[in-house]
Amino acid sequence: MKKVSVTTLRKMKEVGEKITMLTCYDATFASVLDKAGVDVLLVGDSLGMVIQGEESTVSVKLEDMIYHTSLVRQGAERSLVIADMPFMTYATPEQAMVNAARLMSDGRAEVVKMEGGEWLAETVSLLSSRGIPVCAHIGLLPQSVHKLGGYRVHGRDQTSAEQILKDAKALEEAGAEMMVIELVTRDLATEISRSVSIPVIGIGAGPGCDGQVLVLHDMLGIGGRYMKMCKNFMVENDSIQHAVEAYVNEVKAGTFPGDEHSFD
Ligand code: KIV
């Protein structure tokens, strides 16, 4: 069993092996997901909704992320652990460096994730130059929900598609190790995955990405949130372990997401 690193993910992209990622918030689930073969565990700030019962990710605190990341690290052996930087903890490059360092040294995160486009390049460059691996997050940015006025598919018109492609290229150039792309049209996500050399992990972005991520509670059908981009893997499986294994198998085989989970 070899520990997954950012280098492993880059090699997987090079040879065309799909990368599997799920969100995770505690040690027990981390162990289940790790044993089922999930490559990357994302301690997402979606914990604001699925763990804390809030209506968005905006109220999540750095201390919450540090606590949950340390729990996930307890249960993860093989999987790479990425932690979200919460709302307004990376508004300036210096603030990002101090807070990312806490997520890594106190929470033991192996990579930190931040939402934003071109404007974030300076921050990514600073963190990267100081030895902090960054996963960028483009497309729909859930922390900006109040500014955006809701959750919707991005990249549907040419101007927005061109901007997201520019964001991806700028963040790669700044030194991001990988990126998550959320809720964009499948053609745009495919184009971006082909245009950058770092791994692109999609959620609601169609099958053309280098890997896929889902919110754990959604793919287990817990909480009753219906989303077109998601599939409830508990419907055809008799245990959580089997449901997660089915997710891993379907992503690796390229059968999830299908047309019914993607946007044109
Ligand atoms: O917080 C989260 O769960 C995420 C995923 C939606 C990618 O960022």
Side-chain angles (χ1 to χ4, degrees):
M1 181 214 57
K2 192 158 183 299
K3 176 94 179 100
V4 177
S5 68
V6 288
T7 315
T8 319
L9 301 182
R10 207 178 267 252
K11 284 187 185 143
M12 287 169 77
K13 174 170 176 131
E14 274 163 26
V15 300
E17 179 182 346
K18 297 276 186 188
I19 297 162
T20 54
M21 188 193 294
L22 282 176
T23 67
C24 188
Y25 316 100
D26 68 36
T28 304
F29 269 110
S31 173
V32 171
L33 270 47
D34 187 292
K35 288 188 175 62
V38 179
D39 300 311
V40 186
L41 307 187
L42 170 65
V43 189
D45 60 356
S46 50
L47 68 82
M49 289 169 290
V50 298
I51 303 291
Q52 298 172 333
E54 298 292 340
E55 61 174 18
S56 78
T57 58
V58 175
S59 56
V60 175
K61 304 286 179 291
L62 185 66
E63 298 307 324
D64 301 334
M65 295 308 303
I66 291 173
Y67 173 65
H68 284 278
T69 305
S70 68
L71 301 184
V72 170
R73 282 286 269 136
Q74 288 289 109
E77 284 184 40
R78 173 187 167 272
S79 317
L80 179 74
V81 176
I82 302 184
D84 262 336
M85 304 263 310
F87 180 65
M88 281 299 143
T89 59
Y90 51 98
T92 65
E94 291 70 26
Q95 186 195 23
M97 193 165 62
V98 172
N99 290 327
R102 286 211 57 211
L103 261 182
M104 294 190 75
S105 57
D106 298 344
R108 296 194 299 121
E110 295 169 301
V111 176
V112 298
K113 177 162 87 59
M114 291 179 284
E115 297 179 10
E118 271 185 306
W119 71 267
L120 205 52
E122 191 188 342
T123 302
V124 172
S125 170
L126 177 68
L127 266 58
S128 178
S129 70
R130 300 299 189 274
I132 299 177
V134 177
C135 173
H137 183 144
I138 58 171
L140 171 75
L141 309 178
Q143 290 173 8
S144 306
V145 60
H146 297 306
K147 169 111 174 116
L148 297 170
Y151 303 102
R152 63 175 172 80
V153 179
H154 286 247
R156 278 197 154 138
D157 61 88
Q158 201 181 336
T159 314
S160 136
E162 280 171 5
Q163 183 59 53
I164 298 171
L165 180 58
K166 263 174 91 180
D167 291 339
K169 289 185 173 166
L171 292 162
E172 174 184 37
E173 202 174 316
E177 304 291 337
M178 57 195 288
M179 64 185 71
V180 164
I181 186 164
E182 179 164 0
L183 214 53
V184 301
T185 60
R186 85 172 91 187
D187 289 350
L188 176 62
T190 305
E191 186 185 352
I192 290 176
S193 305
R194 288 181 185 152
S195 307
V196 297
S197 58
I198 57 176
V200 177
I201 315 293
I203 174 164
C209 300
D210 305 307
Q212 299 294 329
V213 56
L214 285 178
V215 171
L216 178 64
H217 291 53
D218 295 339
M219 59 82 71
L220 294 178
I222 306 171
R225 303 197 308 166
Y226 168 76
M227 269 163 286
K228 174 180 157 78
M229 65 189 182
C230 194
K231 172 173 170 179
N232 178 353
F233 285 82
M234 283 303 283
V235 170
E236 290 165 5
N237 291 285
D238 57 5
S239 69
I240 289 175
Q241 184 82 30
H242 289 156
V244 176
E245 282 168 9
Y247 169 74
V248 169
N249 292 338
E250 288 191 33
V251 171
K252 295 274 178 200
T255 51
F256 177 81
D259 287 345
E260 67 277 32
H261 310 113
S262 309
F263 301 91
D264 290 316

